[in-house]
Structure formats: structure tokens, C-alpha cells
Amino acid sequence: MTASHFTGSTAEEPVLSSNVTPCALLSAADRQAEHSRFVQRVRRRYSAELPCLPAGEPARPSMQACLATLRERGLPMPAALRVLRQLVLERLVVLDCEQGVPLHVVTRAVTQLAELALDEACKLAWTYLDDLHGAPQFETPQGEKQRAQLWVIGMGKLGARELNVSSDIDLIYVYDQDGDTAGNAQGRNRISNHEYFGKAVKHIYNTVGETTEHGNVFRVDLALRPNGNSGPSAVSLGALEEYFLVQGREWERFAWLKSRVIAPATCLQDRTASALRGTVLPFVFRRYLDYSVFDALRTLHRQIRDHASKRAAGNPGRSNDVKLSRGGIREIEFTVQLLQVVRGGQFPELRTRPTLDALQRLCKAGLMPPATADALAAAYTFLRQVEHRIQYLDDQQTHVMPTRDDDLAWLAATLNYPDVCAFLHALDAHRELVAQEFDTLLGGSTQGNCTGKGCNAKNGASGRSAAEEMESVLPQLPAAFAARVGQWREHPRVLALREDTRARLVRLVQRTGAWLDEGRVTEEAALRMADWIEPLLRRESYLALLQERPSVHERLLRLLGAAKWPARYLIQHPGVIDELASQQLLTDRFDAAQFEAELEARRASLRSTGEDDEEALLNILRRAHHAEVFRTLARDLEKVLTVEQVADDLSALADSVLRTTARWCWARLKNRHRDEPSFAIIGYGKLGGKELGYGSDLDIVFVYEDEHENASEVYAAFVRKMINWLTVKTGEGDLFEIDTALRPNGNSGLLVTSFTAYANYQQRRGSNTAWTWEHQAMTRARFVLGAVSLAGHFDAVRENVITAERDAASLAAEIVAMRAKVRAAHPVRGAQFDVKHSPGGMVDVEFAMQYLVLLHSRVHPELRANTGNINLLRRAEGAGLLTPGMGEAAARAYRELRQIQHRARLDEAPTQVDQQEVQEASRAVLALWQHVLGRATAPA
């Protein structure tokens, strides 16, 4: 998001008269509200009415009180509303310019005025039309007649509660049900609901928008409705949904982003208007990351700039439009809304209407640097305050800087600048920053940085179709890549693409070919990208993402060229490639607290709109987990992380997912009997030892400590729900495979057991007790999550188990026998060396270390901590249990074998290598085995 420097256009400098002295010092006298011609008019005409508005900041209660007073003075409602507007705006000029209240005080007051006026207008319309035609009705499935509702939807700044002081209001009218009216008192004059609500729209306009001797309350614009000015003034909810599906255009998604039902108040109070969400949200926010909107926004913005340029032709002053000119308010709004629309489908915490709030959310989500968000927020606040002062002058809907010297001086003074020169300098600085950020985001050319051979002009500039462009670029590609891409010429998925989407695909091929020619990427990477992208061709947003973000395209190719498994992971979870755009990707590590806080924020956002059903929660868990795995994978392949750090981060991620799943499942458990569950998850194996790899399953045991009479049934239901949440496949995939075989009595035992029974089993109290191999597993067990009291209890049980007095010979015999069983289950054929299972492999290290811990931790407490095999080997050597250098040599060997295994799995290659490659490592492991367990039997 960091912008590059741009040189400002001198054509956009404020137009001043030739005799102005812009740096003359200003005083408090220059900031009086009386300078506004609008204020002068109001004070002359409505001097008797001004006291009707209670002192202080105008708010809905004080406006209602003023409205009641005006009505008592004999003004009809439409006239009273118009006078109220004059009084409110006069008060706001005083508060803003003389007292310097924050921006939100002004925008909130104007928004509440609009909401009040429209609510009163609705009441008048219903009273008039019900008397004439009867109430609009529909029949429920039960055969009952109910009143149909009309919702007044505020768009743009009205929807976002950030309305201008002299703004018009963009409205859309939607009614919930078709049907007919009940008829008047005589049962006559029945009309369709559609006709009724069409008449209601006209009546509301007459109340609010018609110009009278008192002006209007607000100018009303219905151009954003379906089909624009050619469409009906009011549409049914069903017709709106069909319009979105069939005709809805990309720019309309930006318009509906800020939509909000604002009247009548009864629909907000009884929440019937919430039915609109199910139609609007899927239209605005798509399920996948949606970079296809970039081109739509470029087109819309180009049209706005062209329109502004035409208006400014012959009138240079119009080029100083603080809303529409380069670096204006609109570009801030577009910047924010673009990031929201692209990401909001997957990240519901970004769904908010107010611009300043959205900036903070984008920053919190890591989509915008804090400095950029703060700078854009400051620019937005400044430009909106300038806009208000421009409108205060004459109560005109204009955003063009004034040219009169005294008006410019008043603007500067009311914004606390010492002179006009300082004010204009600040204006230019803010607009330049905004323009830079906007240009950086949209990136100018959609071609990216394809500069090598095969890179033609933008689509259409050459006059050839996408198919012809593809044909022309094939001879310039390396043979294997050309053959792979050539298959697309007759591929059904490619033939089914729209021409503009095929053009995107051609440009990606051209750019990839250019990078191959320059040696920036490998042909193997290009082939894997072709394999990856082919199944995704119908999801056009991925093509758009790679086209819009050349840095993501190049990182993707590097990652695909590094190993095979990432390509498979990306095919399963293509949405994660957007993570490659992050500047922090290679510098940050997994942060559990931040990860869980973001998940909670997403759940809260879904709950606020009633979307927090189980499927939605399952999907946001999966998306978050897959994205974090991919971040770790990218850091791994770029060699930012060691194998141990990868395992640490994947294990910490699993812990976080388990914690979040437990919280959410318990909250949704119908038969829960307490606020927090008194249970714990014990991790074994790779999870317990913090050695998880990509795709590892989780070995876990569930225990509880609860005296409630139904505790066993409650926790059994809880654990079943958790396992289902973790393992079920949704449209976003799954999370983990869960293995609970290490619970007491294995697969024949209870899925969740009381902690007392677990402790007795492990400590061999009673007739049903753990086997030695289960105590081997206990050396790598750890408390993952649960009640704090259980953490201490588990640590005590684990210590008791691993420090119990044991016979060395018996223990050695049992561990060697178990090692033989494991080897028999994983035979190694041929002369190759299996880094895990061959004699001298990783399993020998693990079994030898488990023997040392179970036999010697009673006397050597430094062996009790679950710190991993490498650390424990060094501790064992330090305790004198291994000969000098043996522990360190075995630790180096274990790390080397883990690295070979890790790389082989990433490349989907066998973990069996030539014996000579690992000769030194295997010798170190065999020496360890011989020293520790050799007297019982040799590993080979």
C-alpha cells in the first residue's frame, strides 16, 4: 500500500484573484458563522423560530422537540420539517466553525435529520393512502392477511451515517411482498401493492424533496435503484434479488455496500427489515476473494474524472472539486470500498459502512499500514470539513473551492489555520497523498509489469482476439510450457470464458513467458502454475488477482517451483494465494493471540448480521487455518524458518484452532450447564511434542472434571461436536484428522473420561491400567487447553508416570519389543535408507530417548520437561547418561533426518534415500541406540 511519489498538477491549484494576499494573518473574528450567506438568511427569516431548537448539539430527541413546537405554532408537517432543517443547519455552522466540534457531530446530526424526516414522511403517506386504498396486504402460508412493508433504504453517505450538510439523499424503495390493498372503508379503490407503494414514493417525495417557500428538507435522488431512472420507483424484494442475479453490475456492489434501511422506524424496531440482508450481502460480498472488481472501479472512476474534466472545461475553478478531482474524497472512499468488496466475503469484520471505521478495520486486518490508514483518515476528515464549509457559504450542493478571497479566508480561519497560504498547502498535501495511494492501489495499467517478449499492448490495442493473442505467443515460450498452454486452445473451460477473461489468461501467459525468458522463474514452476490454474478457470477472480498483483504472480511461481506439495495445497485451497500479497508474509511469525482475536472479530461481525450459523463458523475456521498454514509454508519454502520453527508454528496453530473450536462448540451446546466447561485436551505424539508437519493428524485425549449429575453425557456430546467441527468437510475443506486411540482402553474406551479415571489408569491404580507403550507416549504428552485447575493436575500425573521406579531390564525389553513391532509394520525394502524407520533412523532416536526419560527422570529432573528430542538428548549428555559428544551427535543427526523427511514430503518424494547420503547421521543414531538399548537387543 506504500505509495510512490507523484507530482501534483498545477491545474488543480486553487484559483485566486490576482490581488489576493494569501498569507495575511487571520484572527478569531474571521471564523464567525455570520460570514455564511446561508446563516445570514436563516437569522433574518427565522429569528422567531431559532429558539425552538434546544441548545447544544442537534440530536434526534431535540429535533423531535423542535418539530413538535413548530407544529404547535401551526406549521403543517412538511413545512415544519423544512424549517427544522434551516434551524439545524444554522446550529451546525456555529458548532463547527466557531466551536470546532468533531466531524462526526455534524454528519450524525444531518443523518438523524434525514431519518426523522423520512419517518414522518412515511407516516403521512400511510395515513393518506390507507384511507384512500386500504392497507397493502399479503397472505401468509397459513392463510392470514398481514400488512406488507415498504423499506426506505439510504445509500451512500446516508446509509453510512456520514451525510453532508447540503447533500441530496440517495434512496431506494423496496417492499417485502406483492399483493393487493384491503380497500377503503367502503371496500373500494383496491390497487396492487406495487401501485400503492409507487404512490407512497411520490407522497414521500412531496413531503421531503419538493421545493416550497421554505426550500426542501433534502433533494432526493432515486437513480441508484434497479434499472436506474428507467426502473420502477419501488421494487419488490423478489424483483431486487432477481435483478442482482441477472443484471447487477459491479459498480452497484459499491453502491449497496453502504446501504441501510433508515425508515420507517417501526420496521427497524420490529426487525422485519433484516430480511433484506439475505439478498444484499451475497451480492456485495462474494464467497471468494474478488479482484475482478478492480477493472469495474477503474472504469467507474475514469468516467467520474472525465465528467469532472468536462464540467471544468472553460471554468478552471471547477477543477478544484474536493470530492471528485484527483486526490478528493471520492478516491478515499473508492480505496476503502475496493478493499472491503475484494475481501469482505471472506472477512466479515471488514463489513462496515462508515469510511473512517472501515479504515481502522483494514489496518487491523493487516491490509493497510497504520501510517497509511492514519494519513487517509486525516485527509478524509480534513476534506469533509472543507466540503462542509464550502456548502455552509450558500447552502448549495457543491464541492468546488470558492474563488472569493474572503470566502477562502473564512475557510482557513474556521479550520484554525493562521493564513490562507497554510490552508492551501495543507489541502494540496492531503490531496496529493490520497491520489498517490489511490493510483498505487489501482496500479494504472492492468497489464502488470510484463516487459519481455510476447508482451503486447493492452487487450484490444492490437486488434486481435484473445485466442489470436494466445496463438501468437506460443512460439515464443519454452517447448514444454508452450505444449501445456497449447492444450487450452480447445479446452472447454477456456472456450467457455468471456473474452475479457480469456484476455486476462493470455496476459498471464505472456508475463510468465517474459519471466521465463529473463530467468526470473523456472519452467517447472510455469508448468505447475498451468496445472494449478486450469481447474480454477471458472473462478475468474483468481485470474484477476494474478493480473492485478504481479508481485503475487511472481511469488506464486517461486513457491510452485520450490516443491510439489504446495501446488496440491493451492488446488485444494486456492483462496490462500492472496496471502502472497502481504508485505509481512516473510517477516512475521504465527501469533496465536492475534489469530484468535481475528476469529472472534469475524464471529462477532457475523453475529451482528445474523449470519453466525454453524456452517459459516465452520468455514471461517477453515479459511483462517488454511491461510495460516499457507503463510508458514511460504516462509518455509523461502527458508525463513527452520524445520523446528515450522513445527512450532504449526503446533501453535493447532492449539489455537482447538481452543477456538472448544469455545464456539461449548457456546452452541444445547445441554451445557455452566458458562465454561471443566474439561481438558491432552496432546500426544507430534502435537504433544510440538513437532507437527503439514497435514499431520492430531493425537488427543479428552478428559473432564465435573460433579454434575449429567456431566458424562454433556461432555460426550461436547466432544462429539468438537470432533465433527474439526473433521467434517465443507466447501472450504476440513481442518484435521483426529486420533483418540491413546485414550484409556484405546478405541474400546470412552471417548471422554473423567480426569480421576484417567489419572488412575495412567498411574496403574486398580485393575485397568496403562501399558508401557502408553507411558512412552506420556513422555511426549502435554496439556493443550482446558480448565486451569486441570493443567496442574495433569502435570502432576505426567510427572508421577514418567518418574515412577522401573526395572531397567524389563523396561528395555518392552521398548525394544515395541520397536520391533513398529519396524514390522513399516518394512523397508531394498538397499535404500528410510529416514524414519530404518535402523539408525528417527524412530530409534525417539525410542531411545523415551527409555532414558522413563528410567532416569526420577533421579534427573532435567529430563522431565517435554522440550523435544534434540534438547533432551543434550540434557541426557549433560547428566552423564551418554558419553561426551554422543548426545550432540545424535541431536545433529536427528535434525538432519527431520530436514530430509520434511523436504521429501514437501516435494511428495519418498523418504528413502541412498545410504551414503546419511551415513554419518545413521552412525550417530546407531551409536546412541547401542549405548542405551544395545544390551537388550540391537535395532537391526
Side-chain angles (χ1 to χ4, degrees):
M1 293 293 298
T2 303
S4 57
H5 180 72
F6 283 76
T7 303
S9 170
T10 56
E12 294 187 358
E13 291 297 324
V15 179
L16 305 178
S17 62
S18 58
N19 61 351
V20 70
T21 307
C23 292
L25 291 178
L26 302 170
S27 66
D30 295 308
R31 60 184 299 177
Q32 296 301 305
E34 185 70 26
H35 177 83
S36 158
R37 273 84 69 182
F38 163 71
V39 168
Q40 295 170 21
R41 292 196 300 271
V42 171
R43 290 178 177 178
R44 284 196 303 269
R45 180 165 185 182
Y46 299 106
S47 58
E49 288 78 14
L50 283 170
C52 295
L53 183 63
E57 299 174 3
R60 188 152 182 166
S62 63
M63 294 182 207
Q64 288 174 321
C66 180
L67 190 62
T69 302
L70 294 172
R71 296 281 283 123
E72 290 170 1
R73 294 189 176 192
L75 287 175
M77 180 60 74
L81 287 170
R82 284 159 173 75
V83 174
L84 173 63
R85 177 191 179 275
Q86 308 286 340
L87 307 184
V88 168
L89 262 63
E90 188 273 345
R91 177 70 54 80
L92 291 177
V93 179
V94 174
L95 291 172
D96 195 0
C97 299
E98 295 182 3
Q99 300 178 24
V101 296
L103 173 65
H104 72 83
V105 171
V106 178
T107 55
R108 181 180 60 200
V110 183
T111 300
Q112 290 181 350
L113 174 64
E115 292 169 347
L116 173 61
L118 288 165
D119 185 48
E120 295 295 340
C122 286
K123 293 175 186 176
L124 288 179
W126 303 167
T127 300
Y128 173 77
L129 291 172
D130 282 7
D131 183 60
L132 192 62
H133 301 288
Q137 299 179 125
F138 69 96
E139 191 171 298
T140 68
Q142 293 75 32
E144 300 175 355
K145 293 284 188 180
Q146 288 189 9
R147 184 180 183 106
Q149 302 290 340
L150 177 72
W151 303 319
V152 184
I153 302 170
M155 308 291 283
K157 290 185 172 64
L158 174 57
R161 297 185 173 89
E162 49 190 21
L163 201 56
N164 287 334
V165 290
S166 295
S167 177
D168 59 1
I169 52 177
D170 294 300
L171 301 179
I172 294 177
Y173 293 92
V174 177
Y175 58 93
D176 61 348
Q177 298 286 345
D178 283 308
D180 297 300
T181 63
N184 59 18
Q186 293 75 39
R188 301 171 64 184
N189 288 342
R190 288 188 176 90
I191 57 175
S192 69
N193 289 354
H194 182 75
E195 293 174 288
Y196 177 98
F197 291 125
K199 292 175 180 290
V201 170
K202 292 180 181 178
H203 200 283
I204 292 169
Y205 172 81
N206 291 338
T207 303
V208 174
E210 190 175 43
T211 301
T212 70
E213 59 175 316
H214 298 290
N216 54 34
V217 191
F218 288 97
R219 291 173 294 275
V220 177
D221 190 341
L222 303 184
L224 292 177
R225 68 188 186 270
N227 295 304
N229 291 328
S230 63
S233 58
V235 297
S236 69
L237 183 58
L240 178 66
E241 184 171 8
E242 183 179 358
Y243 176 82
F244 284 161
L245 288 172
V246 178
Q247 300 183 56
R249 291 159 290 182
E250 296 291 351
W251 69 262
E252 290 178 287
R253 296 170 59 197
F254 292 92
W256 280 90
L257 172 63
K258 294 192 175 189
S259 64
R260 176 173 63 93
V261 177
I262 57 173
T266 52
C267 291
L268 302 175
Q269 293 159 2
D270 62 20
R271 303 187 66 81
T272 55
S274 62
L276 187 66
R277 289 177 185 152
T279 298
V280 174
L281 285 176
F283 173 64
V284 176
F285 301 109
R286 302 296 162 82
R287 179 180 174 185
Y288 300 103
L289 293 168
D290 190 8
Y291 277 80
S292 60
V293 297
F294 272 71
D295 273 343
L297 188 59
R298 282 194 190 95
T299 301
L300 177 60
H301 183 254
R302 186 163 53 248
Q303 291 171 349
I304 291 172
R305 276 193 175 175
D306 289 347
H307 179 67
S309 298
K310 290 176 182 177
R311 292 177 64 226
N315 187 349
R318 285 192 176 274
S319 66
N320 289 281
D321 190 313
V322 297
K323 179 179 179 180
L324 300 179
S325 292
R326 182 175 182 273
I329 296 167
R330 182 58 54 82
E331 292 192 354
I332 302 176
E333 293 171 339
F334 277 1
T335 298
V336 172
Q337 290 169 18
L338 179 60
L339 293 173
Q340 285 181 285
V341 170
V342 167
R343 301 272 192 143
Q346 291 201 341
F347 303 102
E349 66 272 25
L350 300 180
R351 302 174 191 174
T352 186
R353 299 179 184 93
T355 301
L356 292 175
D357 182 41
L359 276 168
Q360 295 309 309
R361 295 193 186 202
L362 291 169
C363 177
K364 190 174 181 180
L367 301 177
M368 185 179 289
T372 301
D374 290 343
L376 289 178
Y380 181 79
T381 301
F382 174 85
L383 293 171
R384 288 297 308 274
Q385 289 177 325
V386 172
E387 177 186 45
H388 283 166
R389 281 152 177 76
I390 293 171
Q391 294 174 352
Y392 289 150
L393 287 169
D394 296 291
D395 189 24
Q396 295 295 311
Q397 187 190 6
T398 179
H399 319 281
V400 177
M401 288 288 292
T403 56
R404 285 177 46 170
D405 300 345
D406 56 341
D407 288 347
L408 281 170
W410 185 70
L411 262 66
T414 56
L415 287 166
N416 290 319
Y417 284 93
D419 52 54
V420 173
C421 187
F423 162 66
L424 294 177
H425 179 77
L427 174 65
D428 181 65
H430 282 302
R431 289 171 62 182
E432 189 62 28
L433 178 138
V434 171
Q436 288 175 11
E437 292 300 332
F438 183 78
D439 290 342
T440 299
L441 180 66
L442 285 188
S445 170
T446 61
Q447 183 103 356
N449 56 357
C450 178
T451 56
K453 67 180 182 180
C455 290
N456 301 304
K458 285 187 180 181
N459 184 47
S462 66
R464 295 185 292 188
S465 70
E468 292 170 330
E469 292 282 3
M470 180 73 81
E471 194 71 36
S472 69
V473 80
L474 289 178
Q476 303 168 21
L477 301 177
F481 186 47
R484 182 69 182 85
V485 172
Q487 297 171 11
W488 289 347
R489 287 175 293 187
E490 303 300 327
H491 197 291
R493 285 198 184 100
V494 176
L495 296 176
L497 295 175
R498 299 197 314 264
E499 182 66 20
D500 61 332
T501 305
R502 282 202 298 271
R504 281 191 177 123
L505 183 60
V506 170
R507 289 197 290 272
L508 288 177
V509 170
Q510 290 173 334
R511 187 195 289 159
T512 304
W515 289 345
L516 283 168
D517 189 47
E518 296 167 11
R520 288 166 64 172
V521 299
T522 66
E523 188 170 9
E524 183 67 31
L527 291 170
R528 288 175 182 166
M529 188 193 78
D531 292 339
W532 170 76
I533 210 168
E534 186 176 289
L536 302 171
L537 286 173
R538 290 178 183 172
R539 299 183 188 177
E540 298 176 5
S541 60
Y542 294 119
L543 292 175
L545 165 60
L546 295 177
Q547 178 191 329
E548 294 290 345
R549 293 287 184 262
S551 62
V552 173
H553 182 193
E554 185 172 9
R555 272 187 177 178
L556 173 67
L557 284 164
R558 284 210 313 270
L559 188 147
L560 292 174
K564 291 180 181 178
W565 188 81
R568 187 183 303 279
Y569 190 80
L570 281 166
I571 288 173
Q572 293 173 336
H573 313 295
V576 300
I577 65 165
D578 192 60
E579 301 301 325
L580 293 173
S582 170
Q583 297 297 320
Q584 293 77 38
L585 177 67
L586 300 181
T587 58
D588 291 355
R589 290 279 300 276
F590 173 67
D591 185 327
Q594 180 181 349
F595 176 80
E596 293 179 48
E598 288 174 355
L599 280 172
E600 293 297 343
R602 280 168 207 164
R603 182 174 71 146
S605 297
L606 289 173
R607 188 167 56 241
S608 69
T609 56
E611 297 176 276
D612 60 334
D613 57 79
E614 195 156 299
E615 183 180 3
L617 297 182
L618 289 172
N619 284 333
I620 65 172
L621 272 172
R622 281 151 177 75
R623 282 195 292 266
H625 174 260
H626 299 155
E628 202 61 56
V629 168
F630 184 71
R631 292 184 191 114
T632 301
L633 174 63
R635 294 162 191 155
D636 181 8
L637 293 174
E638 293 284 354
K639 296 182 172 53
V640 175
L641 301 180
T642 64
V643 173
E644 289 83 3
Q645 289 172 324
V646 169
D648 286 343
D649 285 2
L650 292 176
S651 300
L653 173 61
D655 289 358
S656 285
V657 171
L658 288 170
R659 279 193 296 270
T660 302
T661 302
R663 282 196 305 271
W664 292 2
C665 284
W666 185 258
R668 301 177 77 89
L669 193 68
K670 293 180 180 178
N671 59 341
R672 64 188 174 97
H673 58 287
R674 54 194 299 164
D675 292 336
E676 299 291 337
S678 182
F679 98 119
I681 291 180
I682 311 301
Y684 284 83
K686 290 184 178 179
L687 176 64
K690 296 185 178 179
E691 294 181 351
L692 282 186
Y694 303 111
S696 293
D697 59 3
L698 304 184
D699 293 300
I700 54 181
V701 170
F702 299 93
V703 296
Y704 70 91
E705 188 175 60
D706 195 325
E707 298 301 322
H708 191 273
E709 59 182 354
N710 296 325
S712 60
E713 291 86 353
V714 171
Y715 288 102
F718 175 42
V719 167
R720 284 195 298 271
K721 189 177 188 70
M722 274 197 69
I723 292 175
N724 180 63
W725 273 47
L726 292 166
T727 60
V728 69
K729 289 188 182 295
T730 72
E732 299 290 342
D734 59 4
L735 289 169
F736 299 102
E737 291 295 323
I738 303 298
D739 189 341
T740 60
L742 287 169
R743 66 187 188 269
N745 299 306
N747 290 329
S748 62
L750 296 173
L751 189 60
V752 56
T753 185
S754 71
F755 187 81
T756 300
Y758 171 81
N760 290 339
Y761 180 84
Q762 293 291 349
Q763 296 174 113
R764 294 182 170 172
R765 296 171 182 164
S767 57
N768 182 31
T769 61
W771 296 82
T772 296
W773 67 266
E774 292 176 286
H775 286 174
Q776 286 179 249
M778 184 65 90
T779 64
R780 304 183 72 194
R782 67 182 174 91
F783 183 90
V784 174
L785 66 92
V788 176
S789 61
L790 283 174
H793 294 168
F794 167 76
D795 289 341
V797 169
R798 179 181 179 276
E799 186 163 324
N800 289 341
V801 168
I802 66 175
T803 61
E805 192 169 357
R806 291 177 171 86
D807 176 73
S810 298
L811 178 63
E814 290 190 68
I815 288 181
V816 168
M818 179 55 66
R819 175 70 184 97
K821 287 183 180 179
V822 172
R823 181 172 303 134
H826 299 86
V828 180
R829 296 178 176 84
Q832 293 288 90
F833 179 87
D834 189 294
V835 296
K836 182 173 183 180
H837 293 291
S838 286
M842 294 166 61
V843 174
D844 285 350
V845 176
E846 293 163 359
F847 274 55
M849 201 62 245
Q850 289 163 13
Y851 172 82
L852 292 174
V853 170
L854 291 175
L855 186 63
H856 296 292
S857 62
R858 181 181 181 88
V859 177
H860 295 284
E862 63 268 33
L863 299 181
R864 298 172 189 174
N866 182 4
T867 60
N869 288 309
I870 291 174
N871 195 21
L872 287 172
L873 283 165
R874 291 167 176 159
R875 292 187 182 192
E877 181 180 320
L881 301 175
L882 302 175
T883 60
M886 178 177 287
E888 184 61 40
R892 287 197 304 271
Y894 187 72
R895 174 179 284 120
E896 180 184 341
L897 295 174
R898 277 189 68 187
Q899 289 171 340
I900 293 171
Q901 180 194 54
H902 183 72
R903 295 300 165 188
R905 288 180 173 174
L906 277 178
D907 210 31
E908 297 183 341
T911 56
Q912 297 175 358
V913 298
D914 188 276
Q915 178 77 42
Q916 297 301 315
E917 291 183 32
V918 291
Q919 189 173 47
E920 184 178 346
S922 65
R923 282 176 181 171
V925 174
L926 287 171
L928 171 72
W929 179 273
Q930 186 64 33
H931 179 80
V932 175
L933 290 165
R935 286 182 294 275
T937 184

